[in-house]
Amino acid sequence: AAAPVVLTLVGPEQEMTFTMEELKALPATSGQAGMKSSTGKITVPALYTGVLLTDLIDRVGGLSPEYGVSVVAADGYAMTLSYDQITQGDFITYDPSDGSEKQVDEPLQALVAYEMDGQPLNVDRDGNLRLVVISEKNNQVTDGHWSVKWTERIEVQPLVKEWTLGLDGVRDEVIDRNTFQSCGATSCHQSTWTDGEGQVWSGVPLYLLAGRMDDEITHDGPAYNRDLAEAGYL
């Protein structure tokens, strides 16, 4: 039987598929990657090996500034990386020891990884492939939403306009498009509504956003403080 396809790569005018054997035959790159979750949990850096996202994109025509790259997981979760993130490593980084934001000097690169610490990825936890943001040293982690587990499809597409959502309450926060997109994924907090014309709208319930700013509990707890809401947030 033919080896199963593990990755589909889609460019504006070309589509390619790869088996694991074909991916491993491409030039390999290794680097350190770790993650900071939306709740502040740190996954310390580990050594990942795989194929650089730039090398894969070059096989379907490369990337120009008006395009971005959507990395899609098997469950439909997707994140869109900008031209600057892919070509310049323009990611926010954090200190693995305490999660505080920090600047790193070495370049960051997006990697489609198939190994961690010299072993194949844990398929149940990570899938066959996982997107990670690597550097030469183990001195940084990036936001967890960039680490797309169960990666199975990469699409080069016109870049969407960037935007932010400001939350102003007991605590203030500015949520960028990528963070909101991650929160609104089907595997996270997505909710849908169908209007009278049959159009399906997807997003994040308002009470969850209120829960991030109504007191100091931002995620677990539950975060939404019903007593404060019923009192009118006075």
Side-chain angles (χ1 to χ4, degrees):
V5 170
V6 296
L7 181 67
T8 299
L9 181 60
V10 182
E13 299 180 359
Q14 185 179 2
E15 179 174 324
M16 301 180 69
T17 59
F18 296 87
T19 65
M20 184 62 75
E21 291 73 18
E22 290 169 336
L23 279 177
K24 289 184 175 181
L26 299 178
T29 299
S30 298
Q32 299 282 339
M35 304 93 192
K36 179 181 178 181
S37 73
S38 59
T39 61
K41 179 183 177 181
I42 299 294
T43 300
V44 297
L47 182 65
Y48 286 88
T49 299
V51 183
L52 289 175
L53 188 56
T54 49
D55 289 347
L56 290 170
I57 295 168
D58 284 345
R59 293 180 172 269
V60 288
L63 191 65
S64 55
E66 66 270 20
Y67 281 83
V69 175
S70 180
V71 180
V72 186
D75 62 359
Y77 179 89
M79 289 303 298
T80 301
L81 284 74
S82 70
Y83 176 85
D84 286 344
Q85 287 172 322
I86 295 168
T87 62
Q88 305 296 325
D90 188 14
F91 296 92
I92 297 172
T93 51
Y94 306 92
D95 191 317
S97 65
D98 59 12
S100 61
E101 189 171 331
K102 66 174 290 188
Q103 186 74 31
V104 296
D105 296 326
E106 60 267 19
L108 302 176
Q109 296 175 294
L111 181 80
V112 178
Y114 47 72
E115 289 183 359
M116 184 182 78
D117 291 333
Q119 299 296 322
L121 297 182
N122 182 315
V123 175
D124 292 334
R125 183 189 63 200
D126 302 314
N128 291 302
L129 302 171
R130 181 174 189 169
L131 183 74
V132 291
V133 179
I134 62 169
S135 62
E136 293 182 0
K137 301 177 182 178
N138 62 347
N139 62 349
Q140 62 83 25
V141 298
T142 53
D143 287 301
H145 53 245
W146 298 122
S147 181
V148 181
K149 298 184 289 185
W150 303 295
T151 294
E152 68 171 20
R153 187 176 181 89
I154 295 173
E155 301 179 5
V156 180
Q157 53 190 220
L159 191 61
V160 299
K161 184 177 180 179
E162 295 296 333
W163 50 264
T164 60
L165 174 66
L167 304 181
D168 184 7
V170 171
R171 58 180 298 278
D172 298 337
E173 182 177 4
V174 177
I175 299 177
D176 62 22
R177 178 186 60 80
N178 292 298
T179 302
F180 191 91
Q181 182 180 347
S182 174
C183 183
T186 55
S187 57
C188 196
H189 295 304
Q190 184 185 100
S191 183
T192 61
W193 172 70
T194 304
D195 65 21
E197 297 179 357
Q199 301 177 102
V200 180
W201 301 78
S202 300
V204 179
L206 181 59
Y207 80 93
L208 292 178
L209 297 174
R212 291 194 66 83
M213 58 179 173
D214 59 6
D215 56 24
E216 295 303 321
I217 301 175
T218 62
H219 196 270
D220 298 317
Y224 179 62
N225 192 319
R226 189 176 298 276
D227 291 338
L228 288 177
E230 291 177 351
Y233 291 120
L234 298 178

